[in-house]
Amino acid sequence: MIENVYERIMEERLQKMSIMSAPTNGNIDLEIVIDRLKKSDEILYENSSFKDGYLELNVQIDGENENYILYLDNTYSNNLYRMVHYIPEKAHTQMEENEISLFVETYFGEDNLKSYVNQLKILTIACPELILVIDLSAEKYVSREWVFMTVKDNLLPSPSYLYSIQSIIDDNKNVWLHTHGLNRCGLIELEVLGANDEDAQSYVPVIDTMACRFLEDEFIKEKAILYIGNGIVTTWSRWENEVDKYKGIIGCRADRENHRDPSGIIYTYVSPEDYDIKNYDHLREILEELRENPVFFLSTKETERMSTMAIGRFNYFKDTFKKGISDFNFLVKLGLEVDKSQKEEMGEKEHLWFEVTAIDYEKNEVEGVLLNEPYGIEELQEGDKLKKHVSFLTDWIIQTPQGNINPDSVYILSFV
């Protein structure tokens, strides 16, 4: 039976239901919800039916048919759930005082990120008075401000929103890192066992990189290889076949009552010869490399998504820059064509950070000073000044005393 589940995930992308809920700041019932959905200009209502307290809904969003199940139930929260965003204390208080949430369930379509945003859209239409969103499938809290911004802008967020990474530690400082949320995307969850509290954070970028690559249709078969960074090769093996190697520590078989979904423990191949004989090792074998903050590979698809968001939300950057706040620093990352001699090794573009010195608002151009030495562009050096159209943008950061703000987190500007 276990074998069949893993094989079906590989062949069919077998999915679990995606479940989100919205604690409501006020009275709500399903009759109010259906009326809002029918009147919305953002979706095309097709039909619905009530059954045993559940609303079964069919709508069109951006020309795609989507099916949802909506219902009201007691608000559910958990102190292990990850807090993705800054959420005001008032929202925490309201959530604790609230007894009822609107739940929305659905199966994701072929584009997981689009399905994720569409599910948020249904929540905001059905329950505009929501306090925040609880993504039960990914076990995380998402702020109201970010949700409404994402739905309004209709820009796809980072794949990392589709899952969370939980870190659980035992009395002996052993750490179990594992994801929640990938199963709803037709993928295995990912985990690292046998980490210690000093090294655990070095493994998190490995999990993130593998999860995002899997979500971008680079899902490798069990014990196959995935190049995730310079000299870093990873693989996975199903937890059922590996867990007995980790007896007596957190994440062992005794801790699996609520963690029996298909999941792969991450390993590394230290050399090509090891791969040939399937001799995989614990990630601690490459710990020194991971501690040196290696560059992890991004897919072309992810680079394009980041660029689209950076450009799509550049108005927030420009408006804040125009205010001339003295203790804010403004950085942009530009994708610049590399020298012909470097293209085979580096690809078409090198992505470089510049500190912004001026913005031409009429021409939509940004000027800045290069902060790092290029590898593949001989005519550029650290400290050079360059002026480019915003179409070259691939990322940006606003550095503030309260922390960094990027295209994904511009909602924070309303609190700064």
Side-chain angles (χ1 to χ4, degrees):
M1 186 66 177
I2 291 172
E3 296 286 337
N4 290 340
V5 171
Y6 282 92
E7 291 304 318
R8 289 187 65 190
I9 288 174
M10 290 301 307
E11 295 174 7
E12 306 172 28
R13 296 296 286 266
L14 186 66
Q15 296 172 308
K16 288 187 69 175
M17 185 83 80
S18 176
I19 307 173
M20 297 183 191
S21 70
T24 62
N25 186 17
N27 295 324
I28 190 171
D29 60 45
L30 291 181
E31 295 291 347
I32 293 173
V33 166
I34 196 65
D35 186 58
R36 288 169 172 172
L37 292 166
K38 286 180 176 179
K39 292 178 178 178
S40 173
D41 295 328
E42 299 174 60
I43 62 172
L44 178 61
Y45 172 87
E46 292 285 357
N47 57 71
S48 64
S49 62
F50 287 97
K51 185 178 180 181
D52 299 326
Y54 293 85
L55 173 64
E56 297 182 0
L57 174 71
N58 175 248
V59 299
Q60 281 194 33
I61 305 180
D62 297 330
E64 298 288 333
N65 280 314
E66 304 281 359
N67 296 301
Y68 298 93
I69 297 173
L70 289 78
Y71 56 94
L72 299 172
D73 205 343
N74 293 329
T75 298
Y76 178 81
S77 62
N78 190 311
N79 59 11
L80 288 177
Y81 280 18
R82 184 173 168 232
M83 198 72 68
V84 180
H85 301 128
Y86 166 73
I87 296 176
E89 188 61 36
K90 179 181 178 182
H92 288 280
T93 302
Q94 288 177 325
M95 185 178 71
E96 290 172 1
E97 294 173 348
N98 182 272
E99 296 182 356
I100 297 297
S101 289
L102 175 68
F103 287 72
V104 175
E105 299 183 355
T106 190
Y107 283 105
F108 283 177
E110 291 185 9
D111 188 328
N112 289 304
L113 281 173
K114 188 174 181 181
S115 294
Y116 174 83
V117 173
N118 287 346
Q119 191 173 8
L120 293 177
K121 185 175 290 187
I122 292 296
L123 273 174
T124 60
I125 295 169
C127 186
E129 61 271 74
L130 62 87
I131 299 165
L132 47 74
V133 168
I134 305 175
D135 186 346
L136 284 90
S137 294
E139 301 198 355
K140 61 170 67 174
Y141 298 106
V142 186
S143 79
R144 167 191 173 87
E145 291 76 15
W146 183 89
V147 168
F148 278 93
M149 178 186 71
T150 298
V151 169
K152 171 180 169 289
D153 291 349
N154 205 27
L155 294 169
L156 298 180
S158 166
S160 62
Y161 275 94
L162 296 173
Y163 64 92
S164 65
I165 301 175
Q166 284 188 3
S167 175
I168 303 178
I169 188 169
D170 65 20
D171 293 338
N172 295 317
K173 306 297 184 182
N174 296 299
V175 179
W176 177 24
L177 298 163
H178 57 274
T179 64
H180 289 277
L182 293 176
N183 282 161
R184 67 175 167 183
C185 302
L187 298 166
I188 60 166
E189 301 294 346
L190 291 169
E191 54 185 286
V192 175
L193 286 176
N196 63 57
D197 63 333
E198 294 180 358
D199 303 331
Q201 283 304 306
S202 296
Y203 302 137
V204 170
V206 175
I207 302 174
D208 268 325
T209 303
M210 286 190 70
C212 288
R213 296 276 291 277
F214 282 10
L215 286 162
E216 291 159 11
D217 294 325
E218 294 184 66
F219 185 24
I220 60 169
K221 293 183 178 180
E222 185 177 18
K223 299 176 185 176
I225 59 175
L226 184 69
Y227 295 93
I228 65 169
N230 287 321
I232 300 175
V233 180
T234 56
T235 191
W236 66 273
S237 179
R238 60 193 70 181
W239 73 266
E240 295 91 344
N241 294 341
E242 301 289 334
V243 71
D244 290 333
K245 298 176 183 178
Y246 300 91
K247 292 180 180 178
I249 66 172
I250 191 70
C252 66
R253 197 175 291 273
D255 300 318
R256 297 277 173 162
E257 183 177 350
N258 297 317
H259 291 83
R260 294 188 172 273
D261 286 329
S263 180
I265 298 177
I266 299 174
Y267 291 100
T268 183
Y269 287 115
V270 177
S271 71
E273 292 76 21
D274 287 325
Y275 172 64
D276 289 339
I277 59 174
K278 298 296 184 284
N279 179 36
Y280 46 85
D281 286 295
H282 194 279
L283 289 178
R284 70 173 66 93
E285 296 300 319
I286 57 169
L287 184 57
E288 290 306 312
E289 291 95 319
L290 297 177
R291 284 173 173 166
E292 293 173 2
N293 298 315
V295 175
F296 290 95
F297 299 148
L298 293 177
S299 69
T300 301
K301 183 178 179 180
E302 175 59 8
T303 302
E304 290 173 350
R305 185 204 64 79
M306 292 175 66
S307 177
T308 299
M309 178 170 281
I311 295 169
R313 290 189 175 151
F314 193 59
N315 282 338
Y316 294 97
F317 186 99
K318 290 193 298 184
D319 293 345
T320 309
F321 183 84
K322 200 170 188 177
K323 293 176 182 178
I325 304 173
S326 60
D327 55 356
F328 281 21
N329 293 318
F330 297 82
L331 310 179
V332 294
K333 184 188 280 188
L334 303 178
L336 304 176
E337 189 173 355
V338 301
D339 298 339
K340 288 183 179 180
S341 61
Q342 299 294 325
K343 286 188 177 183
E344 184 176 350
E345 180 180 348
M346 298 185 62
E348 292 292 321
K349 293 181 180 180
E350 184 171 2
H351 301 272
L352 301 168
W353 283 102
F354 292 78
E355 182 170 2
V356 176
T357 55
I359 296 177
D360 188 323
Y361 292 88
E362 290 186 4
K363 295 182 179 179
N364 216 17
E365 293 177 337
V366 60
E367 181 178 88
V369 176
L370 180 58
L371 296 177
N372 47 321
E373 192 71 26
Y375 290 103
I377 307 175
E378 188 175 355
E379 67 176 18
L380 272 181
Q381 294 181 342
E382 182 179 348
D384 285 352
K385 184 174 285 189
L386 198 67
K387 189 175 186 180
K388 287 290 183 180
H389 190 268
V390 296
S391 59
F392 285 82
L393 273 176
T394 58
D395 203 357
W396 52 258
I397 292 173
I398 303 172
Q399 296 176 327
T400 81
Q402 290 78 30
N404 291 344
I405 298 171
N406 58 42
D408 182 72
S409 61
V410 291
Y411 77 94
I412 294 175
L413 288 170
S414 60
F415 302 111
V416 174

